[in-house]
Amino acid sequence: MNWITIAAATYTREEADVRINAMISRVFHIAQAGIHMLLKRKGAAALLLVAVLLLMYASFVPSSSIAIPDDVKQRYNTIGAEAESSGNSLAPMFESPVVIGFVSLLSLVLLISTVQRTAQLMKARPDRVRGVRLAVDEEDPRIARVLSELRRSRYRWSFSRSAESICVSAEKGSWGGFGSVLFHFGLLTVIAGITYSTLSVENESILLTEGESFRLLQEGGGGGEMRTGGSASSAAMNTPLLRLVDYDSLYAIDDVRTPAAIVETSGDGVVQRAPVHINAGLAFQGRKVHLGPGHGFSPYIHIVDPEGNVLVSAFIRIAALKNGKHRDYLELQNGGIRLFLALHGVGRTETESVPRIELRCEERGRDAWSATLGMGATQQVRDYTVTFPDMREWVQLDIADTTGPGIVAFGALIGLCGLVLRLFLYRKNIRIRWDHGLDGPCIVEGNAEYFTEIFFRELEDFHHVLLTEAAETPAVRTPRKSVHREDPS
Amino acid sequence: MNALLSFLDLGSAVLYAAVAVLAFFENGVASRKNYLFPVLATVLLFQIVAFGGRWYAAGYIPAVAWQHAILFSTLLTMSFLFFAVVRNTHWRVILPTAALYSSFLCLWAGLSPANLAALPLSLRSGWLYVHASSAALGQAAFLTAASASSMQLLGMGGKRFSAKVSVTEELSIRAMIASVLFWGGMIIAGALWADDAWGRYWGWDPIEIWSLLIWLLAALHLHAYFAWKSLHGAVLASSAIVLMLLARFALWLIALFHQTIHWYGR
């Protein structure tokens, strides 16, 4: 006999099956009740409240600078430089599993509610009111007046007549219910579009020093190859190549000065020089190159070991001191020596523009040593020779490829159309009755899906119009205020 | 030119105060035609001339600096109410407080005028017109909703408007739907512009977060209205006023205290 132990109790296989089934059933019912609760408007309000609190918390998260990822540092001779911007510093929070889980739940609820509501609307939507014009005696001035008013207000109407009673029923706005469905569908599409965009599109940030080039390896995708020095004209003319010629912090267009990266692009045998200034990207090889927030100075560092081997010889980006502390270092002798570097004197005014590198050497078992290295000078650090011959500017260029997913724009458009529908269309019914023949009193009544007070004023206007014909018609009774309010969901 | 524009702004503030008083004590057709209508038409003319003058002088839509954005949205709200007065529909339950709010806003914007600087290169895009206009329409709708809600709150405590309380609530909700629509349009236009300018739709910038937050709060307001009848009345009316204040000032305050890439017009 097989024995199964559950929750410290021992049951036979059959008993266990019954228990497991009961547990599954309970879990299923709880989940169903949870989803059912969230599908109601109160549940949606609770979800919205969570989203609001989340965003409020996010907006008070202290902003920090963006650290450049390790792989980028490795590729671009960067040992610790940081792109100083708080713009995107909140983004990591929104990539956390909790937030992604919440957005997934929101999407699920939106999806189910959209499907459910569509099904409800299709099922519950009343038959279209058809005008039975043949049965109407439009020759009668009272009925003609009513129908003319209804037509003017774009109501669809039907006409019924019994032995004594005559009734005109009219309705409009039945498509309004689809407005909220369309809106939620649009919202869902936006979330799907953003997810697709995040997952499928590869955007890339590159750090280029003046004179450096970047070669796009894959068209339309990410991944590129860095080239130090060289010019576009010397490169193979059919290879897409982006070269930073100059960075101008006071580039002028129409007398307005703005930072701009002057780049040279080459590909398909054409070499072009163009500025990439803030907020105005440059279309290049099916992608767009934007000027990113990162910018700084890149000193040329040349280090030779005691045997005469060149250890470093490149433009490298290093971070400035922060709170008097070094943030970047090079490791020599397999980590035995740490050579800290900080760049100073790179202001834009003449007095500030005296570039120098502050060196600090730390070695196990020996006291720390520091010195300042001016541009063009050489310094002996232990047995190593450090030279600082040149310096150039570097900028962050963002290569974006977001042209594909127009899904976001489409979803947003659909959502807005849904809101417009919801704003202008909601179901309204009007009934005009003569219970004792056309010579008897006329009763005007109606109800609206919501905004009943405003509708009641419209009904009064309608009644007023009928009253203008009162001279020709029998007494028209004041409309009764209908307080019936359907749940628009 | 600047003196003339300041005169028009401050004159608008005074005339809006007059409109508020006339609308509060409006009594019958004669009062509307003889007093209220001409004053309202004059103040709108002032605002249109100031708006056109700024556009002519600067060469771009005057909706970049926060003062100009406030004046633009005030102009839109009051133009809408002007047509409501002309058509004689529901204006009595919005105009008094709307004119009062507009008076304060014009006074504030008029006392701290913004310079008409050349448009930064970064803003030279067709999207500016779509984005700024949607924002101004959204602000105008928030102002309309808050004005109706203020009248609702007044009606709860007083006699004069008590009969119209439920109408004001519905008008406020309709205006709130319009604000969700236009504010959503502003966010979307901004996202599309950001894609064009920065290569991404959304960057979690503090200003972007707060504009989304205000939109979500407006959506929450609507859901609360339809879901909980117990919240009808003072709670939702106060919420509409808070939302208007948030839409007016939150983005400006956030830009002062947070580093943001949306630094224009500060």
Side-chain angles (χ1 to χ4, degrees):
Chain A
M1 180 179 283
N2 295 321
W3 295 84
I4 294 172
T5 304
I6 296 174
T10 311
Y11 302 101
T12 61
R13 177 65 182 256
E14 290 74 20
E15 285 171 333
D17 283 349
V18 170
R19 290 232 156 201
I20 289 169
N21 284 341
M23 273 169 61
I24 291 171
S25 170
R26 199 176 303 154
V27 169
F28 180 75
H29 280 300
I30 290 170
Q32 199 181 24
I35 292 285
H36 187 68
M37 193 189 76
L38 289 174
L39 286 175
K40 290 186 171 174
R41 196 169 265 122
K42 287 179 184 173
L47 282 175
L48 280 169
L49 190 64
V50 173
V52 163
L53 293 174
L54 198 71
L55 285 176
M56 274 189 177
Y57 168 73
S59 69
F60 290 109
V61 169
S63 54
S64 60
S65 54
I66 321 162
I68 294 170
D70 288 342
D71 60 324
V72 176
K73 285 180 191 173
Q74 223 168 6
R75 282 173 66 187
Y76 303 119
N77 296 330
T78 305
I79 53 178
E82 291 177 345
E84 297 288 346
S85 164
S86 63
N88 298 321
S89 62
L90 299 172
M93 180 186 157
F94 293 95
E95 287 162 12
S96 72
V98 175
V99 176
I100 290 173
F102 173 73
V103 173
S104 308
L105 178 67
L106 194 68
S107 310
L108 184 71
V109 169
L110 276 173
L111 180 67
I112 297 174
S113 76
T114 306
V115 171
Q116 195 189 43
R117 183 83 184 111
T118 309
Q120 275 174 1
L121 277 169
M122 298 303 284
K123 207 168 152 186
R125 195 165 168 264
D127 290 338
R128 195 180 169 84
V129 179
R130 289 185 181 86
V132 278
R133 290 163 190 274
L134 290 175
V136 183
D137 181 9
E138 289 197 43
E139 294 300 315
D140 188 292
R142 288 156 294 197
I143 291 180
R145 178 77 182 163
V146 165
L147 296 184
S148 132
E149 264 311 300
L150 289 174
R151 275 194 211 106
R152 194 183 65 79
S153 305
R154 293 180 185 163
Y155 277 89
R156 291 191 305 272
W157 50 269
S158 68
F159 185 84
S160 62
R161 185 194 294 250
S162 61
E164 288 191 338
S165 170
I166 298 165
C167 180
V168 178
S169 298
E171 182 190 88
K172 76 172 178 180
S174 55
W175 284 101
F178 284 97
S180 55
V181 173
L182 212 56
F183 170 68
H184 287 101
F185 174 72
L187 210 57
L188 195 64
T189 313
V190 168
I191 293 175
I194 290 172
T195 310
Y196 171 75
S197 169
T198 311
L199 294 178
S200 66
V201 175
E202 214 169 315
N203 293 341
E204 190 163 17
S205 266
I206 58 168
L207 309 177
L208 282 186
T209 300
E210 288 164 341
E212 280 181 338
S213 307
F214 180 78
R215 180 179 289 166
L216 297 173
L217 293 181
Q218 298 163 344
E219 209 167 315
E225 189 185 76
M226 186 69 195
R227 287 162 49 92
T228 305
S231 67
S233 51
S234 65
M237 297 304 275
N238 57 352
T239 312
L241 199 70
L242 182 77
R243 178 171 165 264
L244 177 66
V245 178
D246 185 23
Y247 177 76
D248 189 348
S249 61
L250 293 173
Y251 190 81
I253 295 179
D254 299 344
D255 294 333
V256 178
R257 292 173 185 278
T258 184
I262 317 298
V263 298
E264 207 168 63
T265 57
S266 66
D268 302 326
V270 183
V271 181
Q272 284 180 320
R273 187 173 284 201
V276 181
H277 53 82
I278 192 157
N279 285 23
L282 176 74
F284 175 54
Q285 293 293 324
R287 298 191 228 175
K288 218 164 177 187
V289 181
H290 301 271
L291 188 62
H295 163 253
F297 290 86
S298 178
Y300 194 94
I301 302 289
H302 187 78
I303 302 177
V304 182
D305 70 4
E307 284 79 40
N309 299 316
V310 176
L311 299 181
V312 178
S313 186
F315 284 102
I316 61 170
R317 284 160 280 266
I318 53 179
L321 289 177
K322 199 168 192 177
N323 301 325
K325 287 182 181 172
H326 285 85
R327 289 187 288 169
D328 290 330
Y329 60 86
L330 294 168
E331 288 190 335
L332 307 170
Q333 286 184 356
N334 294 326
I337 296 177
R338 276 188 175 180
L339 183 62
F340 288 87
L341 302 108
L343 184 64
H344 294 279
V346 288
R348 296 209 170 272
T349 60
E350 245 178 61
T351 49
E352 289 173 352
S353 187
V354 186
R356 59 194 184 280
I357 291 175
E358 192 182 305
L359 297 170
R360 180 182 165 83
C361 180
E362 290 182 5
E363 191 178 356
R364 280 189 212 110
R366 294 176 74 172
D367 290 338
W369 170 92
S370 55
T372 302
L373 182 64
M375 200 158 81
T378 300
Q379 181 74 46
Q380 203 67 26
V381 181
R382 304 284 186 243
D383 299 327
Y384 296 86
T385 310
V386 182
T387 316
F388 170 30
D390 193 10
M391 189 179 76
R392 290 181 186 172
E393 289 185 80
W394 65 269
V395 289
Q396 177 190 341
L397 294 173
D398 297 327
I399 299 182
D401 181 14
T402 55
T403 47
I407 302 168
V408 177
F410 172 74
L413 196 68
I414 292 278
L416 289 184
C417 288
L419 267 181
V420 172
L421 264 184
R422 187 73 282 192
L423 179 61
F424 293 109
L425 292 184
Y426 56 98
R427 271 176 67 189
K428 298 175 194 174
N429 295 310
I430 293 183
R431 284 173 299 281
I432 299 118
R433 275 193 355 248
W434 289 268
D435 285 339
H436 304 286
L438 283 170
D439 295 326
C442 173
I443 298 169
V444 179
E445 59 183 6
N447 57 42
E449 190 178 6
Y450 48 79
F451 300 141
T452 50
E453 295 296 333
I454 295 171
F455 175 64
F456 185 65
R457 299 298 182 276
E458 290 175 17
L459 218 54
E460 278 183 330
D461 292 342
F462 193 81
H463 172 240
H464 179 73
V465 169
L466 291 181
L467 272 183
T468 56
E469 295 289 306
E472 299 169 29
T473 55
V476 179
R477 204 186 290 170
T478 309
R480 276 199 315 238
K481 183 176 171 184
S482 169
V483 290
H484 173 62
R485 181 179 292 180
E486 290 174 18
D487 182 357
S489 68
Chain B
M1 183 70 169
N2 282 341
L4 174 68
L5 291 172
S6 288
F7 167 76
L8 289 171
D9 292 341
L10 294 174
S12 301
V14 174
L15 287 175
Y16 274 137
V19 168
V21 172
L22 287 170
F24 264 115
F25 299 104
E26 187 271 341
N27 190 17
V29 179
S31 169
R32 179 165 64 101
K33 280 189 178 168
N34 296 336
Y35 303 105
L36 183 62
F37 188 81
V39 180
L40 189 56
T42 310
V43 67
L44 277 179
L45 191 68
F46 268 44
Q47 280 220 288
I48 290 167
V49 170
F51 182 77
R54 282 196 178 94
W55 196 327
Y56 176 75
Y60 58 89
I61 186 168
V64 177
W66 62 263
Q67 295 95 329
H68 299 162
I70 280 177
L71 291 168
F72 184 24
S73 64
T74 312
L75 171 65
L76 289 172
T77 308
M78 298 313 284
S79 304
F80 164 71
L81 287 173
F82 177 76
F83 285 109
V85 172
V86 171
R87 293 182 60 189
N88 200 18
T89 49
H90 302 305
W91 62 271
R92 283 182 184 82
V93 288
I94 305 177
L95 186 62
T97 41
L100 201 61
Y101 283 132
S102 301
S103 174
F104 283 122
L105 290 170
C106 285
L107 188 69
W108 189 40
L111 289 177
S112 51
N115 289 329
L116 288 168
L119 190 66
L121 279 175
S122 47
L123 291 181
R124 290 184 190 181
S125 163
W127 283 112
L128 172 69
Y129 293 85
V130 185
H131 184 61
S133 304
S134 305
L137 282 165
Q139 298 266 20
F142 274 123
L143 181 60
T144 310
S147 303
S149 292
S150 304
M151 291 298 284
Q152 187 187 349
L153 287 175
L154 285 175
M156 283 168 177
K159 295 173 190 169
R160 187 173 166 81
F161 302 103
S162 55
K164 296 165 185 167
V165 163
S166 43
V167 178
T168 54
E169 186 164 50
E170 290 183 357
L171 286 172
S172 172
I173 286 296
R174 291 186 88 167
M176 194 60 77
I177 295 177
S179 57
V180 168
L181 177 74
F182 293 126
W183 202 258
M186 182 268 284
I187 293 175
I188 289 156
L192 294 172
W193 189 6
D195 179 46
D196 189 38
W198 301 322
R200 47 82 174 162
Y201 290 106
W202 194 260
W204 296 115
D205 182 83
I207 293 278
E208 291 172 11
I209 289 182
W210 271 85
S211 60
L212 179 63
L213 194 69
I214 291 165
W215 188 80
L216 285 175
L217 279 170
L220 183 62
H221 180 98
L222 289 180
H223 280 79
Y225 174 80
F226 290 115
W228 287 286
K229 281 189 179 171
S230 58
L231 293 180
H232 288 202
V235 176
L236 284 177
S238 311
S239 157
I241 296 168
V242 170
L243 268 170
M244 185 271 281
L245 293 174
L246 273 177
R248 290 272 155 188
F249 304 114
L251 302 185
W252 174 64
L253 287 172
I254 285 291
L256 284 181
F257 294 112
H258 273 277
Q259 271 193 315
T260 167
I261 44 175
H262 297 74
W263 53 269
Y264 322 105
R266 269 202 280 162

